[in-house]
Structures are given as structure tokens and as C-alpha cells.
Amino acid sequence: MNIPEPLNFIQEIIVNDLKTGKRTKVHTRFPPEPNGYIHIGHAKSICLNFGTALKFGGKTNLRFDDTNPTKEDVEYVDSIRDDVHWLGFDWENREYYASDYYDKLYEFAEELIKKGKAYVCELKGDEVSEYRGTLTEPGRPSPWRNRSVEENLDLFRRMRAGEFEEGSCFLRAKIDMAHPNMNMRDPAVYRIKKASHHRTGNKWCIYPMYDFAHPLSDWIEGITHSICTLEFEAHRPLYDWFLEALELPDRPQQIEFARLNLSYTVMSKRKLLELVQSKRVMGWDDPRMPTVCGLRRRGYTPSSIREFCERIGISKADSMVDINLLYFCIREELNKSAQRAMAVLDPLKVVIDNWEEGREEEVDVENNPENPNAGNRKVIFGREIYIEASDFMENPPKKYFRLKPDGEVRLKGAYFIKYVGVDKDASGNITQIHCTYDPATKGGDSPDGRKVKGTIHWVYAPKAVDAEVRLFDNLFTLENTGDIPEGKDPLDYLNPNSMIVKQAKLEPMLGKATLEDRYQFMRSGYFCLDSRDTQEGRLVFNRTVELKDSWGKAQAKA
RNA sequence: UGAGCUAUGGUGUAAUGGUAGCACAACAGAUUCUGAAUCUGUUUGUCUAGGUUCGAAUCCUGGUAGCUCAACCA
């Protein structure tokens, strides 16, 4: 088999497994708990699981890890399914649920009891933790630890029959109360929860724990490599213990990797939920959220997210990825594919005094200089136009080569213009600018070969399309939201300017934009229509990412 | 402070005992009808102290730092 490089450490393990004959195939799974929307950290896992299987000609299952009915919901199942598909991965007909296996899992539990490897414990919550000991001290055996197999079986069956109250007893694995790994100190296997499950309804009142359900679900599905994040590392001995205790052949192997941390955002489901519930964002799909649906609404493409996940790599070291890499990935793609357009975000009226009233003309502008096949388009031009307020300065600094009292500037694809004067209101604010144009420079070039340093974008005022344009920036002002001072909350560091709304003037073509279109608003950034708030007669554009701005950066420093 | 894991430029990741490389970021210059893109160049790194070896980022020992674990959550 010819495996495409590069390989991460997990794929190296797989290559070795295949070489030694430990495995003859590769089968992975993506196992989300349906208790929230998935984010870019999950996308990393999705790309790893699906991507690895693809690399080795194997398959990947989508399995919902739904063992806690009090936290899970179908709303999340649907969104996760959508998001994984949107990212570009296909699990074909292999959509499974841990709850599909409840019968089988129950049998496994009885088998464990029959082997003398599990017992029903009647310790109460705080007693359980007291008996468990601490990190430095061993635990003590539960008084119920040595019941007979018959008694345990009877009790467990009655647990299932609903004879006991929640919290009155639970099934535990009989391992080692003095084990240095706390997870091995007789962990819970089944607990009573008199809750309705989103798939099994009221069939069950006992539910298996993750540590028990996960390895066995993997085994049932024939998973070979069970890839998960680092916090489950200490659970691996338990993962193996259940499979060994039940003497199952061809056991899956758990391998852990470091989860994604991204600068200037949060990745915990709890914090994300808090942002949504406290209405500090518009919802799970707010374009500022690191959720897959948020990134999608923001204008990210599936391929840009996959590229990002490829570039960040896989390792076991905790790390913090610079969000600039994500920005780079979407810019890189959109630069090649996005249609160029002219949009003025902060409109300033310019009147071209020597242009005849009422005269209109079409000029030619290329659709994408990176792609000659994209061709040109006609853009209407005339006496009154809008330019960006920041493209004019009365008292410009050195090297400012936009419109200023002296010199010429080029209007993209149209003419050279020259400043004549400025109108101001009573309080001294500029209301409009007067210029003259040079008719010989039509198309944007001068026959006498004179150069102009600046080229600015513009929109013909009478035919301009109005739109709301939302400029997004990082949600947080703090680079590492996981490292905050004592007594502070990440939410104390929300960026008040994470969304700035502009009333913009657009070139007419943009009035016909569809939800699928991506545009580069020239000299500004990449934009797409907002899928939620755009309506008939109301255009709302989202800025996916801004263009790099070396001038702005230099000015900020000065 | 019990156990486990991790440590390579600012960030992420390669190098699998044999020239420390790539990407992002940063900085400089060229170019430009987008102050974008493109092109060229530059700065910055093996946590630490020993040991093994002709040779160590890699193997060994000690230290240091960070992360994880004491839910009937996942």
C-alpha cells in the first residue's frame, strides 16, 4: 500500500500495526456526545479520524455517545450530522448510537458480575468519594464489595426493573481500591437515572458509564484505532480492563492526542453555551463563534477548515495555535477563488466637477486578477461617487498615497482624479469632496505615461446598493483564555469590538449576490451574505476575514 | 506533594543515533490598476545538568516546568 505523506504519530502507529500484522484493516470512529454544537476542535478530530481511515483505505463510523439522557438532545444530533457532512466527510450508512447497544451492554455487565468482576454498591455519593481515597492516599474497599454473584445479579436485575431510587445503589467494577490511578478504584459501570432518553424513551432506568460503554461500543463496531483527546489517557487502563475482563478478541486500541487550543477564543462547550445563553452572541452560529456552524456562517469554506486541520498537525504536547493560521487558510483559498467587487464601507461623497451632469459610462474591471478565466465586468461610473472616508486626508502623513489636496489618485478601472476642494458642515465635518478627472486616463492609464501611486475603490452613487456590513474580529481580547488571573472569568475579556456594523454602499452587481457567493471587497476583505439575516430587500454581508493591511499596521505603530 | 503524560524559533510541527527543516507570524526590499496577492532576503530554536557514543533533539539518569486524574459527566 502506498500511504500519502506526511504521517503524524498516530498514523505511524497504524503503519506499524499493519506491517507487523497486528491489524489487517483500519476502522475509526468520531464519537461526539450530542450535548452541544461541534467546534473547530471537533473538526480537528473529525479530520483526523476520517482522514486517517481514508489514508489507509479504511472506514469511519459516526457514533453518538449518548449514555447520559439528562444532558443530551436530538437538536444536537441533527446539528452534528449536518456539520460533519458540511465539512466534507461521509459515514455512509454507519451512523450509530451507544444507545443502540444498550441490550448488549447490559449483557456484558451481567457477564462481568458472573465473572465476579462487578458488584452492586450501596454507598452514597459522599461516602463513595470518601472510600475512594485521594491522589496520595489509597482508598478502602466498599462494605458491599464482597457480595455473592447471585446477590449482585439479583440486585442488578432489580436496578434495571426500577425497584431502586436514583443514587441508592450503582454497579461498580471490582478492580483495585488502592490503585495509583484513581480511575481504577472500582469505577462506576451503571447508574440509575429515571430519565427519558432521546432514542430509547423510557425503556431503561439504568444507563452505562462512558468508561464502560466506550470500549465495548468500539469493540462491537470493529473499531481498530480509537482516537481521543489527552484527558482520557488515564482512562486507557480502564478501557483495556473491560475488554480483557470480558475476554474479547481483536481488541481496539485507544490512542490519545492533544486537543486544539486557538488563541483569542474559547473552546469549552460550557463557555460556548454560556455565551449563547447570556446572549452575548447571536447564537451557536454567530459568526464570531468557533463552532462549525459559526465558521460556516462567517464564510469559511469546508476546504479551508480541512487545510487548517492539516497544517496544525497532531501531537501529544499541549499547544496554542495562533488564530492567524486560520485566517491565513481562508485568505489563501479565497484569494484564488473569490470574485472581486467594490464596496464602500464608510461612504464619503465625491463630486467630479468637470463631468457632465447626468452622463453615465461603463468601465471595465477584472473579476479576479488571480484567475484570468474569471474575465471582466462592466461597472457604471458617473459624476457622483462614494469613496472610503479613510481614502481622503486633508493633512496626510508621509507616504500617504490616496486622495489628498495635492497629487492624483486612480479610481480603480476608471480615471485619474485630482482634488479641487472640500465642503464642510457648520461643525467642520467634511460632507463632500470636489475633484476633476482627466478624460485621457479612461480605463485607469495615462497616455503620457505618468504614474500614480494610489488606486482606490469607488461606487457610483446614484446606482449604489445599500447593505448592512458586519465586520468581525476576535471574540476575546485575551490571547490565552485558558490562562486568566485569579478571580477573573474568560467572559471578562470579551472584545467589545468583535462586531462592528456598517451601512455600506455597494456596486450594483452585489445586489444579486446569493448565499453561496464569496466576494473580495477590494482593499477590504472577504465577504459573504449572512445566511440568517439577509431577506428580500435587506442585504447583510459578513466579513469572513480582512485583507492583510501593512499600511494600517504601520500607522498603528506610528 | 501519588500516578501518568509532555517539553524543538514568537506559534505550530518535522528530523525515527549522522548537515536542526517546513509553515504561520514578524522584519526588510522588489513589484503592483487591491498599501492585497506575488517574489527575494533576514531575525529567532533542541527546558536543564550529567552520562553512553566517533557522533545525541533523538538513548540513559537526575532535576525543572507544564498538563491530566479524586462525577453515579463525557
Side-chain angles (χ1 to χ4, degrees), chain A residues 355-362 380-383 460 462-463:
Chain A
W355 187 281
E356 302 83 334
E357 296 270 0
R359 179 182 149 216
E360 292 180 342
E361 193 175 285
E362 282 183 328
I380 192 158
F381 182 82
R383 179 179 160 91
Y460 178 54
K463 302 256 164 90

Side-chain angles (χ1 to χ4, degrees), chain A residues 114-328:
Chain A
K114 288 173 189 158
K115 286 172 181 285
K117 292 180 174 177
Y119 62 98
V120 174
C121 179
E122 293 176 45
L123 250 24
K124 300 296 168 285
D126 37 353
E127 293 173 323
V128 176
S129 36
E130 191 201 320
Y131 272 77
R132 185 148 26 225
T134 68
L135 293 175
T136 51
E137 303 153 35
R140 290 177 287 141
S142 159
W144 317 99
R145 199 168 197 261
N146 288 316
R147 297 216 239 226
S148 69
V149 167
E150 293 68 33
E151 192 184 1
N152 278 319
L153 218 41
D154 174 60
L155 254 17
F156 187 49
R157 286 173 182 165
R158 286 165 61 195
M159 272 172 64
R160 179 191 189 173
E163 289 186 29
F164 307 121
E165 292 309 305
E166 281 186 23
S168 61
C169 59
F170 67 115
L171 186 73
R172 322 174 65 160
K174 193 170 174 178
I175 307 180
D176 179 2
M177 288 307 289
H179 199 107
N181 182 343
M182 301 288 290
N183 296 118
M184 299 296 272
R185 321 245 261 230
D186 290 12
V189 176
Y190 262 90
R191 77 288 212 190
I192 299 170
K193 270 185 194 286
K194 301 204 169 170
S196 181
H197 186 280
H198 67 104
R199 302 202 91 220
T200 59
N202 295 317
K203 179 176 174 189
W204 296 87
C205 62
I206 58 171
Y207 292 92
M209 300 293 292
Y210 165 87
D211 283 314
F212 176 73
H214 205 86
L216 297 173
S217 300
D218 282 345
W219 182 83
I220 290 167
E221 292 178 15
I223 299 305
T224 55
H225 302 270
S226 184
I227 303 169
C228 64
T229 43
L230 243 33
E231 66 269 27
F232 292 100
E233 202 161 28
H235 295 244
R236 189 181 347 124
L238 189 48
Y239 182 99
D240 294 334
W241 188 89
F242 282 119
L243 294 166
E244 275 165 36
L246 291 163
E247 298 172 73
L248 299 171
D250 301 321
R251 306 203 270 263
Q253 175 188 5
Q254 175 179 305
I255 306 173
E256 311 84 16
F257 71 100
R259 67 184 326 141
L260 171 67
N261 294 300
L262 242 199
S263 59
Y264 299 104
T265 189
V266 290
M267 216 65 89
S268 98
K269 277 190 191 174
R270 218 184 86 249
K271 282 295 162 202
L272 259 15
L273 180 66
E274 200 177 332
L275 283 165
V276 172
Q277 286 179 337
S278 63
K279 308 250 188 246
R280 280 184 259 219
V281 294
M282 298 180 275
W284 284 101
D285 66 349
D286 185 294
R288 292 164 293 183
M289 293 280 274
T291 49
V292 171
C293 54
L295 292 165
R296 176 183 191 170
R297 185 172 166 195
R298 172 94 163 237
Y300 279 81
T301 58
S303 50
S304 67
I305 294 173
R306 279 187 254 120
E307 174 68 15
F308 172 75
C309 291
E310 189 59 42
R311 281 175 180 258
I312 57 179
I314 300 292
S315 77
K316 289 193 72 166
D318 290 302
S319 59
M320 169 71 64
V321 173
D322 189 339
I323 197 164
N324 278 308
L325 183 60
L326 182 61
Y327 297 155
F328 169 82

